[in-house]
Amino acid sequence: RVQMMLAEQIHRNLKRQKETKIGERVPKAYVPSLVSLATDVVAKNFHIYPELKGITDPKVIKKIISRTSPNLDIIISAPHIDDEDYWKECCEQKFKNAVPRAEDHGNSYKQAFLETYLEKTLEALKPEQSTRQLEQLLK
């Protein structure tokens, strides 16, 4: 999969070079680093492998989390992601009209997201389905 991504990137760059006009300066082909390719792959598959135990470099972990979708299922993201920038983005995307403030939730965007998410979920429960939905929510 990584090889395919790399091949596609090289192909796009070579195609761009061919499309330049005669006499124009040809840009150098950009080949992403292996670390960059790997962080992209891990981020795209975070929902399958959310534990980053083998990664010890905090900068690499930060890159992976920054490239991870803020639309992940809360069951996956909550126990595995502590990065405040990630949770701030989640708050901004999920609650666009009323973004919760970290200051109102223990100075934590993760806490703000989780509390607001739980509040909205409980408010949306219908009385006739509430028991079953609540049981599913608590699993």
Side-chain angles (χ1 to χ4, degrees):
R1 185 170 182 141
V2 173
Q3 291 171 338
M4 196 155 137
M5 288 174 56
L6 182 57
E8 288 172 1
Q9 181 72 34
I10 292 169
H11 176 72
R12 280 193 301 271
N13 287 332
L14 290 174
K15 186 178 177 184
R16 190 177 329 125
Q17 286 180 357
K18 287 179 184 176
E19 293 172 351
T20 59
K21 297 176 185 173
I22 296 175
E24 251 184 57
R25 185 167 182 245
V26 179
K28 291 183 178 179
Y30 168 73
V31 179
S33 72
L34 184 56
V35 171
S36 178
L37 290 172
T39 56
D40 286 344
V41 170
V42 173
K44 287 179 185 171
N45 293 293
F46 194 87
H47 63 285
I48 300 170
Y49 304 107
E51 294 188 18
L52 303 175
K53 290 180 182 176
I55 303 170
T56 56
D57 187 342
K59 290 179 183 178
V60 173
I61 293 171
K62 182 81 170 166
K63 276 185 186 178
I64 291 168
I65 299 303
S66 72
R67 295 175 183 180
T68 300
S69 171
N71 298 318
L72 274 179
D73 189 328
I74 195 168
I75 301 298
I76 295 168
S77 58
H80 298 288
I81 299 176
D82 292 322
D83 185 82
E84 283 295 300
D85 292 331
Y86 174 84
W87 290 105
K88 181 178 181 182
E89 185 178 351
C90 289
C91 286
E92 291 168 351
Q93 286 199 13
K94 181 86 171 171
F95 311 113
K96 292 177 184 172
N97 297 331
V99 177
R101 296 170 359 123
E103 296 81 23
D104 298 335
H105 300 273
N107 290 321
S108 167
Y109 277 105
K110 182 175 183 176
Q111 184 174 335
F113 181 87
L114 295 174
E115 288 176 355
T116 306
Y117 178 85
L118 181 60
E119 177 184 347
K120 303 276 185 205
T121 302
L122 291 173
E123 288 173 355
L125 287 176
K126 296 177 182 169
E128 65 275 2
Q129 296 177 334
S130 63
T131 304
R132 190 177 82 245
Q133 286 178 327
L134 192 54
E135 287 173 356
Q136 288 176 346
L137 181 65
L138 295 174
K139 286 184 180 180

